[in-house]
Amino acid sequence: MSRTSPHQHPHPTELSRRGLLKTAGGVTAALAVGAGSATLTAGTADAAPATFTHPGMLHAYGELNRAKVRVAAGDDPWLTGWQRLTVNRHSAATWTPNPQATIIRGGTGENYGTLYNDIHAAYQNALRWKIAGTTANADTAVRILNAWSATLTTVTGNADRFLAAGLYGYQFANAAELMRDYAGFDLARFKTMMLNVFYPLNNDFLLNHNTACITNYWANWDLCNMNSILAIGILCDDAAKYDQAVNYFKNGAGNGSLTHAIPFVYDSQGLAQYQESGRDQGHTMLGMGELGAFCEMAWSQGDDLYGYGDNRFMKCAQYVAKYNLGQDVPYTTYTWGTGQSCAQQSQTVISSASRGEIRPVWDILYYHYARRRGLSVPYIQAMAESVRPEGGGGDYGTTSGGFDQLGFGTLMYAK
């Protein structure tokens, strides 16, 4: 069941759903909205909720329950999304974790593939447990999570260590959030790992950017670390960390804040240019996934960042989708400072590199803007339809790019 009737058209900017979520997992709220008896109130989402909703990251109660009911009924597109999950080898209850004390991304001795494969296995097994109630999958998810929290002490490497801390931090926290109440899961130890291994790197990157010029790193570097801080805040009921991430989204000095990640808006066309559009389209679509994950996790806690800044993100996703569908979009020269001296570089044209690449980042956006909000997003819709049903880690190659998103948006967000 959607949290907002598809026939409602709330004001497009800066809505708060917090009042709708002060119930057990949002159940009563979802029912009330479905009945047309609740309204969204204005707010700016400046503070964490007084009480965090659990589960409350990429999947709150409403999404999980809808997928469970629809799959059981054999309804599409949920059923085909479910089938995409169950044939993925990472979702098998026979998965054996391979925890490491030290994870290295970048430089000599890289082994971070062991981490992202296990994280996606934990997440996919957790989804199978939540949707089908299979305890074998739950036991496997917990076995993976417990093995890593008992073993991992360090994430290191060259600058890429910050990518590992961000991407795998928020993904790990999402898997744990789904299993937080399951018997045998050592949630306290897992929280300690997130706070001691991942958060310090996330925080250091947003504060210092690896001692480089603040514009040196692409938006995705900030965004993945913002996602990790937000997810850790929710997992640990830590309001200060939640606020840190949301405030950075709104006001941060680096490229992950909304106006830096999306520097140019073409309001007359309903489009907006992404910071990495002149780099390549694979990383640009990664940015859509990172922004979508951030906005969805905040939405689950009652904050509408999807609509923040007059739907700036929606306009950007429309822009990215339109270009990757083979159509023309406007482009403004993008100039930034690099290295430690902030030496300037410029990109004068949009990049066609990896144009049309398939990434499972579109259904989360389509179902939010078109179904929850009732807005017209034709390019996002066309991209979503071209990718559907979305898979997850392991379905898009064996290299790290195929594990940048948790995926399965068709199964989890269809409305």
Side-chain angles (χ1 to χ4, degrees):
M1 181 181 294
S2 65
R3 289 196 181 85
T4 305
S5 165
H7 304 295
Q8 290 177 302
H9 295 269
H11 192 272
T13 58
E14 298 168 44
L15 304 176
S16 171
R17 295 173 49 261
R18 186 160 293 140
L20 301 183
L21 290 171
K22 296 309 155 196
T23 54
V27 184
T28 305
L31 293 173
V33 175
S37 59
T39 57
L40 295 173
T41 56
T44 55
D46 285 328
T51 303
F52 283 91
T53 296
H54 298 296
M57 291 190 208
L58 287 176
H59 314 302
Y61 175 87
E63 284 73 40
L64 292 162
N65 188 61
R66 180 180 56 245
K68 180 178 181 178
V69 170
R70 291 293 195 167
V71 169
D75 296 336
D76 272 332
W78 299 270
L79 183 61
T80 53
W82 170 252
Q83 291 166 343
R84 194 84 196 266
L85 170 64
T86 57
V87 298
N88 189 310
R89 71 184 186 90
H90 291 77
S91 79
T94 53
W95 187 274
T96 300
N98 184 25
Q100 306 292 313
T102 300
I103 284 295
I104 302 170
R105 178 165 180 170
T108 303
E110 283 191 323
N111 65 346
Y112 66 102
T114 60
L115 177 58
Y116 66 66
N117 275 284
D118 275 2
I119 289 173
H120 283 254
Y123 171 74
Q124 292 179 26
N125 273 275
L127 282 187
R128 291 187 68 165
W129 152 245
K130 284 293 187 180
I131 294 170
T134 44
T135 57
N137 292 110
D139 292 340
T140 297
V142 165
R143 185 165 62 251
I144 298 167
L145 298 172
N146 284 346
W148 279 91
S149 69
T151 307
L152 181 66
T153 60
T154 307
V155 173
T156 189
N158 62 19
D160 286 0
R161 68 190 184 277
F162 295 112
L163 289 176
L167 288 167
Y168 312 137
Y170 98 83
Q171 293 175 359
F172 229 164
N174 267 276
E177 178 75 356
L178 292 172
M179 303 309 300
R180 63 182 299 131
D181 296 324
Y182 191 75
F185 176 38
D186 194 336
L187 178 61
R189 191 176 70 198
F190 194 90
K191 288 179 179 179
T192 298
M193 178 187 70
M194 299 307 298
L195 292 168
N196 292 347
V197 178
F198 290 90
Y199 175 75
L201 286 165
N202 305 146
N203 182 57
D204 180 52
F205 186 79
L206 293 187
L207 290 177
N208 301 308
H209 291 89
N210 200 32
T211 73
C213 180
I214 197 165
T215 57
N216 180 72
Y217 288 94
W218 301 103
N220 285 307
W221 290 67
D222 270 9
L223 285 168
C224 68
N225 283 285
M226 292 159 58
N227 267 299
S228 185
I229 293 173
L230 188 72
I232 291 169
I234 296 168
L235 183 74
C236 299
D237 297 291
D238 189 327
K241 289 179 177 56
Y242 182 95
D243 284 347
Q244 177 187 4
V246 172
N247 288 336
Y248 200 96
F249 174 89
K250 294 180 176 182
N251 306 305
N255 284 327
S257 63
L258 190 66
T259 55
H260 291 114
I262 306 171
F264 306 113
V265 179
Y266 309 99
D267 269 325
S268 64
Q269 300 177 62
L271 304 174
Q273 181 177 318
Y274 187 58
Q275 189 257 351
E276 302 194 45
S277 290
R279 180 190 184 192
D280 66 65
Q281 296 309 305
H283 285 97
T284 295
M285 281 189 271
L286 167 60
M288 300 305 96
E290 293 293 324
L291 280 163
F294 194 89
C295 291
E296 186 65 25
M297 289 191 289
W299 178 270
S300 293
Q301 296 300 328
D303 288 324
D304 181 19
L305 301 182
Y306 278 113
Y308 190 76
D310 194 26
N311 281 324
R312 196 180 187 101
F313 175 33
M314 181 187 79
K315 295 168 187 174
C316 182
Q318 281 275 90
Y319 176 100
V320 174
K322 183 177 183 180
Y323 182 69
N324 281 279
L325 287 164
Q327 300 182 46
D328 293 332
V329 294
Y331 186 83
T332 300
T333 294
Y334 179 72
T335 301
W336 74 102
T338 64
Q340 292 185 311
S341 65
C342 289
Q344 288 202 332
Q345 292 189 25
S346 294
Q347 291 168 336
T348 59
V349 296
I350 193 169
S351 174
S352 61
S354 59
R355 190 178 187 181
E357 181 175 294
I358 299 299
R359 284 186 179 241
V361 302
W362 296 104
D363 262 342
I364 189 173
L365 306 183
Y366 169 69
Y367 285 111
H368 175 79
Y369 288 116
R371 297 298 177 87
R372 281 178 179 156
R373 300 294 306 283
L375 301 172
S376 175
V377 285
Y379 305 117
I380 294 172
Q381 179 176 349
M383 278 297 290
E385 289 171 350
S386 73
V387 177
R388 195 176 296 152
E390 289 181 351
D395 290 323
Y396 301 93
T398 59
T399 59
S400 61
F403 295 81
D404 283 343
Q405 301 85 29
L406 287 170
F408 300 106
T410 308
L411 169 65
M412 298 311 302
Y413 299 111
K415 297 175 182 62

